[in-house]
Amino acid sequence: MTIRFDNRVAIVTGAGNGLGRAHALLLASCGAKVVVNDPGGAVDGKGGGHAAADKVVAEIKAAGGEAVPNYDSVADPASAANIVKTAVDSFGTVDIVVNNAGVLRDKTFHNMTVEDFDFVVKVHFLGTAYVTHAAWPIMRAKAYGRVVVTSSNSGIYGNFGQANYAGAKLAVVGFMNALRLEGQKYNIFVNALAPVAGTRMTESLMTAEMLAKLDPAFVSPMVAWLCSEQCQRTGEIWSAGAGYFARIEYREAPGVRITGRSPTPEDVADNIEKIADLSTSKVYRTSTEEVAAVVVGP
Ligand code: NAI
């Protein structure tokens, strides 16, 4: 099987650095026309400029690919819509959206300002929703689309000092879960990436030995697969880094059912180990399925 993106138009947000740059380079090298979105700026989202996006566009063109820059922020509905407009104006449509843009404002929750919380949620979660919302009608109308949201092991498993980031990174998974159901009949597939890579965002947290293994380009093949016509999977979470690729899912225990009377807090206390026991756990694919299990049993 050969993965190609000839005649496909891809938007990669935050493509001026790190993972986004690697995704954009790979998609372009496989034939995609790419909108390289990046407003520039530091890891905390402060500042900005055209250099980051321009440099990646130049790299793509130098390698014989097609790309245009876009400098809008994902974190505002109008500018996010302009990213999609750039794709349509430059290349006629949009087939692929890789929501990758990200910032960090790490602090313990105790010391975190509400502004730093809001800002991180805006870029990661609302930015993902805004860009996808602008692309969705185009994909729905032509019954084709591939969307990637970028989650994180920080949200999936937890990380000290990242309440804003972790919350936003799991919010995109909830967003994906709903879009999976709405997009499926229109051949719009939505998946979540949980990457690990050495970038300016993570380099201060990693040893030189770890960084040497964590080239962002080792994550991008998963993104390319998820954005391909061949990929028929949707609504799943994928870990990728250092050449490792694995699916992540959450599971539910068979639990305990108290019948014939109102359950009490003591019932929960008496049964807590069994309630928590995941040894014969199950995966539910929709909330309707899980609610049915809650009401009538699995
Ligand atoms: P990075 O800092 O190298 O790249 C992030 C890019 O997003 C930057 O170029 C930045 O200018 C851009 N950006 C920031 N705010 C933006 C906005 N409002 N609109 C558009 N673009 C914006 O970081 P990295 O590591 O490449 O991160 C990429 C994504 O992967 C992020 O969503 C990050 O949270 C996620 N991630 C990265 C991990 C890693 O190990 N590097 C781990 C888990 C998740």
Side-chain angles (χ1 to χ4, degrees):
M1 182 192 293
T2 308
I3 306 288
R4 293 286 310 171
F5 298 98
D6 304 302
N7 302 315
R8 294 290 181 201
V9 177
I11 291 169
V12 183
T13 68
N17 288 289
L19 284 160
R21 170 180 167 273
H23 304 336
L25 291 175
L26 182 59
L27 292 172
S29 74
C30 299
K33 297 168 184 161
V34 181
V35 175
V36 174
N37 158 259
D38 209 300
V43 173
D44 65 2
K46 292 181 179 150
H50 292 189
D54 286 347
K55 191 161 175 280
V56 175
V57 168
E59 281 183 271
I60 290 173
K61 287 188 171 164
E66 270 190 81
V68 290
N70 169 282
Y71 314 109
D72 286 296
S73 169
V74 298
D76 168 84
S79 63
N82 204 47
I83 302 171
V84 176
K85 187 173 180 298
T86 299
V88 173
D89 290 349
S90 309
F91 301 128
T93 189
V94 58
D95 301 289
I96 293 162
V97 175
V98 180
N99 291 291
N100 164 83
V103 290
L104 282 185
R105 293 203 178 168
D106 291 359
K107 273 198 168 66
T108 57
F109 190 52
H110 173 72
N111 291 317
M112 189 180 285
T113 63
V114 166
E115 289 71 29
D116 282 347
F117 202 99
D118 284 2
F119 184 73
V120 168
V121 169
K122 257 209 166 113
V123 173
H124 289 276
F125 177 42
L126 294 180
T128 294
Y130 295 152
V131 176
T132 308
H133 189 259
W136 197 256
I138 299 169
M139 293 177 167
R140 202 170 174 272
K142 65 181 181 181
Y144 186 84
R146 296 288 183 268
V147 177
V148 172
V149 303
T150 304
S151 183
S152 167
N153 48 26
S154 171
I156 295 166
Y157 298 116
N159 202 17
F160 188 93
Q162 292 196 316
N164 48 2
Y165 180 78
K169 285 308 206 186
L170 213 46
V172 299
V173 173
F175 174 72
M176 168 194 78
N177 286 334
L179 290 197
R180 166 174 72 88
L181 299 170
E182 297 184 24
Q184 207 154 23
K185 76 173 173 187
Y186 299 101
N187 194 19
I188 307 173
F189 299 155
V190 189
N191 284 280
L193 175 75
V196 182
T199 66
R200 64 182 200 164
M201 195 182 262
T202 53
E203 62 195 0
S204 63
L205 313 168
M206 293 175 176
T207 61
E209 196 188 337
M210 285 169 82
L211 286 169
K213 289 188 179 170
L214 288 168
D215 185 336
F218 281 28
V219 172
S220 304
M222 175 56 82
V223 171
W225 157 249
L226 293 172
C227 292
S228 70
E229 287 168 30
Q230 288 94 334
C231 174
Q232 297 294 307
R233 304 194 70 120
T234 184
E236 295 175 310
I237 311 168
W238 305 93
S239 173
Y244 166 83
F245 302 100
R247 186 162 73 87
I248 299 172
E249 69 181 7
Y250 31 87
R251 310 185 65 85
E252 188 160 325
V256 165
R257 187 174 298 278
I258 309 295
T259 53
R261 61 181 171 79
S262 299
T264 64
E266 289 74 17
D267 286 328
V268 176
D270 290 346
N271 290 291
I272 195 65
E273 293 306 325
K274 209 168 167 213
I275 292 169
D277 182 6
L278 285 162
S279 54
T280 57
S281 58
K282 193 176 160 174
V283 176
Y284 294 97
R285 287 296 280 158
T286 64
S287 74
T288 316
E289 249 181 47
E290 202 263 357
V291 169
V294 168
V295 178
V296 295

